[in-house]
Amino acid sequence: MLLPAMAAAQGTVQPGDAAAGKVAFKRCASCHQVGPAARGAFGPQLNGIVGRKAGATADYRYSPAMKQSGIVWTEQKLAAFLKSPSEVVPDNQMRFWGIGDERQIANLVAYLRTQR
């Protein structure tokens, strides 16, 4: 089993628990929606985020930084963004400092992977 620091260095995301990620997502839900009725609101909806190009949903007005980032949201890129949004996409408009807990990040990524 890889330690979180080794996994990050190798560009992998440690396996997460989607059920725990659903619980952790509650702190994201004030801005983001998932599920069949999800839509962009204060933040973009996150259905199908894994594999989607950044700034690509039609129901949200993204910052120029996000639209021009060229990012495709891989699990690794999502984990990095959840850890430090401003390092991954400088000048993005997300009002969030990041998550320091690698396990919580892995759980959130596992949950988001389930949202199509």
Side-chain angles (χ1 to χ4, degrees), residues 21-59:
K22 182 177 183 178
V23 172
F25 186 79
K26 289 179 182 177
R27 77 189 270 195
C28 309
S30 61
C31 298
H32 299 281
Q33 297 179 15
V34 293
R39 61 179 178 75
F42 192 73
Q45 59 85 8
L46 299 179
N47 290 335
I49 187 74
V50 177
R52 184 171 78 202
K53 184 178 179 196
T57 61
D59 63 350

mmCIF file of all heavy atoms in Angstrom, residues 21-59:
data_model
loop_
_atom_site.group_PDB
_atom_site.id
_atom_site.type_symbol
_atom_site.label_atom_id
_atom_site.label_comp_id
_atom_site.label_asym_id
_atom_site.label_seq_id
_atom_site.Cartn_x
_atom_site.Cartn_y
_atom_site.Cartn_z
ATOM 1 N N GLY A 21 -17.065 9.833 1.358
ATOM 2 C CA GLY A 21 -16.999 11.012 0.493
ATOM 3 C C GLY A 21 -18.336 11.711 0.373
ATOM 4 O O GLY A 21 -18.397 12.946 0.294
ATOM 5 N N LYS A 22 -19.413 10.933 0.379
ATOM 6 C CA LYS A 22 -20.757 11.526 0.330
ATOM 7 C C LYS A 22 -21.003 12.377 1.568
ATOM 8 O O LYS A 22 -21.560 13.474 1.479
ATOM 9 C CB LYS A 22 -21.812 10.431 0.213
ATOM 10 C CG LYS A 22 -23.225 10.958 0.120
ATOM 11 C CD LYS A 22 -24.231 9.841 -0.077
ATOM 12 C CE LYS A 22 -25.631 10.415 -0.237
ATOM 13 N NZ LYS A 22 -26.616 9.362 -0.481
ATOM 14 N N VAL A 23 -20.565 11.887 2.701
ATOM 15 C CA VAL A 23 -20.696 12.649 3.948
ATOM 16 C C VAL A 23 -19.824 13.908 3.870
ATOM 17 O O VAL A 23 -20.272 15.006 4.197
ATOM 18 C CB VAL A 23 -20.317 11.782 5.168
ATOM 19 C CG1 VAL A 23 -20.271 12.617 6.439
ATOM 20 C CG2 VAL A 23 -21.292 10.621 5.315
ATOM 21 N N ALA A 24 -18.592 13.759 3.411
ATOM 22 C CA ALA A 24 -17.680 14.898 3.302
ATOM 23 C C ALA A 24 -18.184 15.932 2.290
ATOM 24 O O ALA A 24 -17.919 17.125 2.436
ATOM 25 C CB ALA A 24 -16.289 14.420 2.912
ATOM 26 N N PHE A 25 -18.928 15.478 1.274
ATOM 27 C CA PHE A 25 -19.440 16.382 0.243
ATOM 28 C C PHE A 25 -20.419 17.410 0.815
ATOM 29 O O PHE A 25 -20.631 18.459 0.208
ATOM 30 C CB PHE A 25 -20.099 15.602 -0.901
ATOM 31 C CG PHE A 25 -20.518 16.472 -2.051
ATOM 32 C CD1 PHE A 25 -19.583 16.901 -2.976
ATOM 33 C CD2 PHE A 25 -21.824 16.875 -2.196
ATOM 34 C CE1 PHE A 25 -19.950 17.718 -4.037
ATOM 35 C CE2 PHE A 25 -22.218 17.692 -3.251
ATOM 36 C CZ PHE A 25 -21.266 18.119 -4.177
ATOM 37 N N LYS A 26 -20.958 17.140 1.977
ATOM 38 C CA LYS A 26 -21.912 18.086 2.578
ATOM 39 C C LYS A 26 -21.309 19.478 2.704
ATOM 40 O O LYS A 26 -22.009 20.467 2.552
ATOM 41 C CB LYS A 26 -22.405 17.566 3.921
ATOM 42 C CG LYS A 26 -23.322 16.385 3.783
ATOM 43 C CD LYS A 26 -23.788 15.851 5.115
ATOM 44 C CE LYS A 26 -24.661 14.629 4.881
ATOM 45 N NZ LYS A 26 -25.089 14.022 6.118
ATOM 46 N N ARG A 27 -20.005 19.556 2.938
ATOM 47 C CA ARG A 27 -19.384 20.887 3.026
ATOM 48 C C ARG A 27 -19.249 21.530 1.648
ATOM 49 O O ARG A 27 -19.129 22.738 1.541
ATOM 50 C CB ARG A 27 -18.066 20.827 3.776
ATOM 51 C CG ARG A 27 -16.892 20.289 3.016
ATOM 52 C CD ARG A 27 -15.700 20.056 3.885
ATOM 53 N NE ARG A 27 -14.824 21.207 3.976
ATOM 54 C CZ ARG A 27 -13.595 21.150 4.440
ATOM 55 N NH1 ARG A 27 -13.099 20.010 4.870
ATOM 56 N NH2 ARG A 27 -12.847 22.223 4.475
ATOM 57 N N CYS A 28 -19.289 20.754 0.596
ATOM 58 C CA CYS A 28 -19.232 21.274 -0.778
ATOM 59 C C CYS A 28 -20.622 21.674 -1.279
ATOM 60 O O CYS A 28 -20.745 22.496 -2.186
ATOM 61 C CB CYS A 28 -18.662 20.210 -1.719
ATOM 62 S SG CYS A 28 -17.113 19.476 -1.192
ATOM 63 N N ALA A 29 -21.647 21.046 -0.685
ATOM 64 C CA ALA A 29 -23.014 21.199 -1.180
ATOM 65 C C ALA A 29 -23.584 22.598 -1.008
ATOM 66 O O ALA A 29 -24.608 22.921 -1.609
ATOM 67 C CB ALA A 29 -23.922 20.167 -0.503
ATOM 68 N N SER A 30 -22.928 23.448 -0.241
ATOM 69 C CA SER A 30 -23.415 24.825 -0.133
ATOM 70 C C SER A 30 -23.196 25.578 -1.448
ATOM 71 O O SER A 30 -23.877 26.564 -1.713
ATOM 72 C CB SER A 30 -22.739 25.557 1.028
ATOM 73 O OG SER A 30 -21.353 25.624 0.828
ATOM 74 N N CYS A 31 -22.291 25.086 -2.280
ATOM 75 C CA CYS A 31 -22.006 25.731 -3.571
ATOM 76 C C CYS A 31 -22.229 24.818 -4.774
ATOM 77 O O CYS A 31 -22.491 25.302 -5.869
ATOM 78 C CB CYS A 31 -20.559 26.213 -3.604
ATOM 79 S SG CYS A 31 -20.165 27.449 -2.354
ATOM 80 N N HIS A 32 -22.053 23.500 -4.609
ATOM 81 C CA HIS A 32 -22.093 22.552 -5.716
ATOM 82 C C HIS A 32 -23.225 21.552 -5.551
ATOM 83 O O HIS A 32 -23.552 21.164 -4.436
ATOM 84 C CB HIS A 32 -20.770 21.787 -5.813
ATOM 85 C CG HIS A 32 -19.591 22.663 -6.073
ATOM 86 N ND1 HIS A 32 -19.303 23.152 -7.318
ATOM 87 C CD2 HIS A 32 -18.642 23.143 -5.237
ATOM 88 C CE1 HIS A 32 -18.210 23.891 -7.242
ATOM 89 N NE2 HIS A 32 -17.793 23.908 -5.989
ATOM 90 N N GLN A 33 -23.766 21.101 -6.683
ATOM 91 C CA GLN A 33 -24.809 20.082 -6.677
ATOM 92 C C GLN A 33 -24.349 18.862 -7.471
ATOM 93 O O GLN A 33 -23.545 18.981 -8.401
ATOM 94 C CB GLN A 33 -26.090 20.624 -7.318
ATOM 95 C CG GLN A 33 -26.706 21.788 -6.576
ATOM 96 C CD GLN A 33 -27.960 22.310 -7.274
ATOM 97 O OE1 GLN A 33 -28.540 21.660 -8.144
ATOM 98 N NE2 GLN A 33 -28.381 23.496 -6.875
ATOM 99 N N VAL A 34 -24.880 17.705 -7.092
ATOM 100 C CA VAL A 34 -24.695 16.456 -7.834
ATOM 101 C C VAL A 34 -26.047 15.746 -7.861
ATOM 102 O O VAL A 34 -26.940 16.079 -7.090
ATOM 103 C CB VAL A 34 -23.629 15.534 -7.193
ATOM 104 C CG1 VAL A 34 -22.243 16.140 -7.292
ATOM 105 C CG2 VAL A 34 -23.969 15.194 -5.760
ATOM 106 N N GLY A 35 -26.172 14.796 -8.752
ATOM 107 C CA GLY A 35 -27.401 14.016 -8.830
ATOM 108 C C GLY A 35 -28.239 14.393 -10.033
ATOM 109 O O GLY A 35 -27.889 15.302 -10.786
ATOM 110 N N PRO A 36 -29.358 13.696 -10.217
ATOM 111 C CA PRO A 36 -30.180 13.875 -11.415
ATOM 112 C C PRO A 36 -30.693 15.297 -11.640
ATOM 113 O O PRO A 36 -30.822 15.740 -12.773
ATOM 114 C CB PRO A 36 -31.356 12.921 -11.186
ATOM 115 C CG PRO A 36 -30.869 11.927 -10.188
ATOM 116 C CD PRO A 36 -29.845 12.632 -9.349
ATOM 117 N N ALA A 37 -30.970 16.040 -10.583
ATOM 118 C CA ALA A 37 -31.505 17.402 -10.735
ATOM 119 C C ALA A 37 -30.426 18.481 -10.580
ATOM 120 O O ALA A 37 -30.744 19.669 -10.499
ATOM 121 C CB ALA A 37 -32.612 17.640 -9.714
ATOM 122 N N ALA A 38 -29.153 18.075 -10.560
ATOM 123 C CA ALA A 38 -28.068 19.035 -10.335
ATOM 124 C C ALA A 38 -28.009 20.083 -11.436
ATOM 125 O O ALA A 38 -28.255 19.809 -12.604
ATOM 126 C CB ALA A 38 -26.738 18.296 -10.255
ATOM 127 N N ARG A 39 -27.688 21.293 -11.007
ATOM 128 C CA ARG A 39 -27.492 22.394 -11.944
ATOM 129 C C ARG A 39 -26.457 23.328 -11.354
ATOM 130 O O ARG A 39 -26.163 23.287 -10.168
ATOM 131 C CB ARG A 39 -28.800 23.129 -12.194
ATOM 132 C CG ARG A 39 -29.404 23.746 -10.958
ATOM 133 C CD ARG A 39 -30.696 24.497 -11.232
ATOM 134 N NE ARG A 39 -31.260 25.039 -10.018
ATOM 135 C CZ ARG A 39 -30.814 26.108 -9.365
ATOM 136 N NH1 ARG A 39 -29.771 26.763 -9.823
ATOM 137 N NH2 ARG A 39 -31.382 26.528 -8.262
ATOM 138 N N GLY A 40 -25.933 24.191 -12.186
ATOM 139 C CA GLY A 40 -25.007 25.199 -11.711
ATOM 140 C C GLY A 40 -25.753 26.209 -10.866
ATOM 141 O O GLY A 40 -26.860 26.619 -11.201
ATOM 142 N N ALA A 41 -25.168 26.607 -9.757
ATOM 143 C CA ALA A 41 -25.766 27.608 -8.879
ATOM 144 C C ALA A 41 -24.641 28.552 -8.467
ATOM 145 O O ALA A 41 -24.049 29.196 -9.329
ATOM 146 C CB ALA A 41 -26.424 26.931 -7.680
ATOM 147 N N PHE A 42 -24.283 28.586 -7.191
ATOM 148 C CA PHE A 42 -23.160 29.410 -6.751
ATOM 149 C C PHE A 42 -21.858 28.844 -7.303
ATOM 150 O O PHE A 42 -20.913 29.569 -7.567
ATOM 151 C CB PHE A 42 -23.123 29.492 -5.222
ATOM 152 C CG PHE A 42 -22.185 30.538 -4.727
ATOM 153 C CD1 PHE A 42 -22.499 31.877 -4.835
ATOM 154 C CD2 PHE A 42 -20.975 30.183 -4.170
ATOM 155 C CE1 PHE A 42 -21.615 32.851 -4.396
ATOM 156 C CE2 PHE A 42 -20.091 31.142 -3.721
ATOM 157 C CZ PHE A 42 -20.413 32.488 -3.836
ATOM 158 N N GLY A 43 -21.823 27.529 -7.505
ATOM 159 C CA GLY A 43 -20.706 26.834 -8.137
ATOM 160 C C GLY A 43 -21.264 25.902 -9.190
ATOM 161 O O GLY A 43 -22.465 25.644 -9.226
ATOM 162 N N PRO A 44 -20.424 25.371 -10.065
ATOM 163 C CA PRO A 44 -20.931 24.465 -11.102
ATOM 164 C C PRO A 44 -21.395 23.134 -10.528
ATOM 165 O O PRO A 44 -20.916 22.697 -9.487
ATOM 166 C CB PRO A 44 -19.721 24.271 -12.022
ATOM 167 C CG PRO A 44 -18.545 24.537 -11.158
ATOM 168 C CD PRO A 44 -18.979 25.561 -10.152
ATOM 169 N N GLN A 45 -22.338 22.487 -11.240
ATOM 170 C CA GLN A 45 -22.730 21.132 -10.849
ATOM 171 C C GLN A 45 -21.558 20.210 -11.147
ATOM 172 O O GLN A 45 -20.755 20.486 -12.035
ATOM 173 C CB GLN A 45 -24.017 20.708 -11.571
ATOM 174 C CG GLN A 45 -23.958 20.699 -13.074
ATOM 175 C CD GLN A 45 -23.407 19.406 -13.654
ATOM 176 O OE1 GLN A 45 -23.183 18.421 -12.974
ATOM 177 N NE2 GLN A 45 -23.183 19.424 -14.948
ATOM 178 N N LEU A 46 -21.451 19.129 -10.393
ATOM 179 C CA LEU A 46 -20.267 18.275 -10.492
ATOM 180 C C LEU A 46 -20.542 16.880 -11.035
ATOM 181 O O LEU A 46 -19.677 16.009 -10.962
ATOM 182 C CB LEU A 46 -19.579 18.189 -9.121
ATOM 183 C CG LEU A 46 -19.083 19.531 -8.572
ATOM 184 C CD1 LEU A 46 -18.446 19.335 -7.198
ATOM 185 C CD2 LEU A 46 -18.118 20.207 -9.535
ATOM 186 N N ASN A 47 -21.709 16.643 -11.630
ATOM 187 C CA ASN A 47 -21.952 15.350 -12.271
ATOM 188 C C ASN A 47 -20.947 15.154 -13.402
ATOM 189 O O ASN A 47 -20.707 16.069 -14.190
ATOM 190 C CB ASN A 47 -23.357 15.288 -12.856
ATOM 191 C CG ASN A 47 -24.429 15.224 -11.804
ATOM 192 O OD1 ASN A 47 -24.192 14.784 -10.690
ATOM 193 N ND2 ASN A 47 -25.625 15.673 -12.156
ATOM 194 N N GLY A 48 -20.364 13.981 -13.468
ATOM 195 C CA GLY A 48 -19.438 13.672 -14.554
ATOM 196 C C GLY A 48 -18.160 14.476 -14.527
ATOM 197 O O GLY A 48 -17.493 14.608 -15.548
ATOM 198 N N ILE A 49 -17.772 15.001 -13.369
ATOM 199 C CA ILE A 49 -16.576 15.836 -13.287
ATOM 200 C C ILE A 49 -15.310 15.058 -13.663
ATOM 201 O O ILE A 49 -14.428 15.595 -14.318
ATOM 202 C CB ILE A 49 -16.446 16.495 -11.886
ATOM 203 C CG1 ILE A 49 -15.297 17.498 -11.844
ATOM 204 C CG2 ILE A 49 -16.265 15.470 -10.797
ATOM 205 C CD1 ILE A 49 -15.548 18.777 -12.544
ATOM 206 N N VAL A 50 -15.232 13.775 -13.270
ATOM 207 C CA VAL A 50 -14.045 12.985 -13.605
ATOM 208 C C VAL A 50 -14.035 12.742 -15.111
ATOM 209 O O VAL A 50 -14.948 12.156 -15.667
ATOM 210 C CB VAL A 50 -14.005 11.654 -12.819
ATOM 211 C CG1 VAL A 50 -12.803 10.819 -13.251
ATOM 212 C CG2 VAL A 50 -13.967 11.916 -11.320
ATOM 213 N N GLY A 51 -13.023 13.262 -15.771
ATOM 214 C CA GLY A 51 -12.890 13.140 -17.219
ATOM 215 C C GLY A 51 -13.408 14.338 -17.997
ATOM 216 O O GLY A 51 -13.243 14.402 -19.212
ATOM 217 N N ARG A 52 -14.032 15.286 -17.316
ATOM 218 C CA ARG A 52 -14.589 16.460 -17.985
ATOM 219 C C ARG A 52 -13.551 17.574 -18.061
ATOM 220 O O ARG A 52 -12.718 17.736 -17.184
ATOM 221 C CB ARG A 52 -15.815 16.948 -17.196
ATOM 222 C CG ARG A 52 -16.523 18.107 -17.855
ATOM 223 C CD ARG A 52 -17.842 18.412 -17.158
ATOM 224 N NE ARG A 52 -17.648 19.143 -15.922
ATOM 225 C CZ ARG A 52 -18.527 19.176 -14.932
ATOM 226 N NH1 ARG A 52 -19.657 18.494 -15.004
ATOM 227 N NH2 ARG A 52 -18.286 19.872 -13.852
ATOM 228 N N LYS A 53 -13.624 18.346 -19.129
ATOM 229 C CA LYS A 53 -12.755 19.505 -19.286
ATOM 230 C C LYS A 53 -13.206 20.596 -18.319
ATOM 231 O O LYS A 53 -14.401 20.835 -18.136
ATOM 232 C CB LYS A 53 -12.820 20.018 -20.728
ATOM 233 C CG LYS A 53 -11.879 21.141 -21.000
ATOM 234 C CD LYS A 53 -11.931 21.589 -22.439
ATOM 235 C CE LYS A 53 -10.961 22.750 -22.586
ATOM 236 N NZ LYS A 53 -11.170 23.512 -23.777
ATOM 237 N N ALA A 54 -12.265 21.267 -17.691
ATOM 238 C CA ALA A 54 -12.577 22.361 -16.759
ATOM 239 C C ALA A 54 -13.296 23.479 -17.494
ATOM 240 O O ALA A 54 -12.957 23.824 -18.624
ATOM 241 C CB ALA A 54 -11.293 22.895 -16.131
ATOM 242 N N GLY A 55 -14.293 24.042 -16.838
ATOM 243 C CA GLY A 55 -15.032 25.169 -17.398
ATOM 244 C C GLY A 55 -15.958 24.801 -18.534
ATOM 245 O O GLY A 55 -16.278 25.646 -19.360
ATOM 246 N N ALA A 56 -16.423 23.551 -18.572
ATOM 247 C CA ALA A 56 -17.145 23.065 -19.747
ATOM 248 C C ALA A 56 -18.657 22.945 -19.610
ATOM 249 O O ALA A 56 -19.318 22.681 -20.605
ATOM 250 C CB ALA A 56 -16.577 21.703 -20.168
ATOM 251 N N THR A 57 -19.223 23.117 -18.426
ATOM 252 C CA THR A 57 -20.676 22.984 -18.344
ATOM 253 C C THR A 57 -21.335 24.284 -18.799
ATOM 254 O O THR A 57 -20.815 25.373 -18.582
ATOM 255 C CB THR A 57 -21.160 22.631 -16.920
ATOM 256 O OG1 THR A 57 -20.782 23.662 -16.021
ATOM 257 C CG2 THR A 57 -20.587 21.306 -16.462
ATOM 258 N N ALA A 58 -22.481 24.159 -19.427
ATOM 259 C CA ALA A 58 -23.168 25.323 -19.994
ATOM 260 C C ALA A 58 -23.984 26.091 -18.959
ATOM 261 O O ALA A 58 -24.355 27.232 -19.209
ATOM 262 C CB ALA A 58 -24.084 24.875 -21.130
ATOM 263 N N ASP A 59 -24.235 25.486 -17.798
ATOM 264 C CA ASP A 59 -25.115 26.130 -16.826
ATOM 265 C C ASP A 59 -24.378 26.876 -15.712
ATOM 266 O O ASP A 59 -24.921 27.122 -14.649
ATOM 267 C CB ASP A 59 -26.081 25.106 -16.222
ATOM 268 C CG ASP A 59 -25.375 24.004 -15.451
ATOM 269 O OD1 ASP A 59 -24.142 23.904 -15.533
ATOM 270 O OD2 ASP A 59 -26.071 23.238 -14.760
#
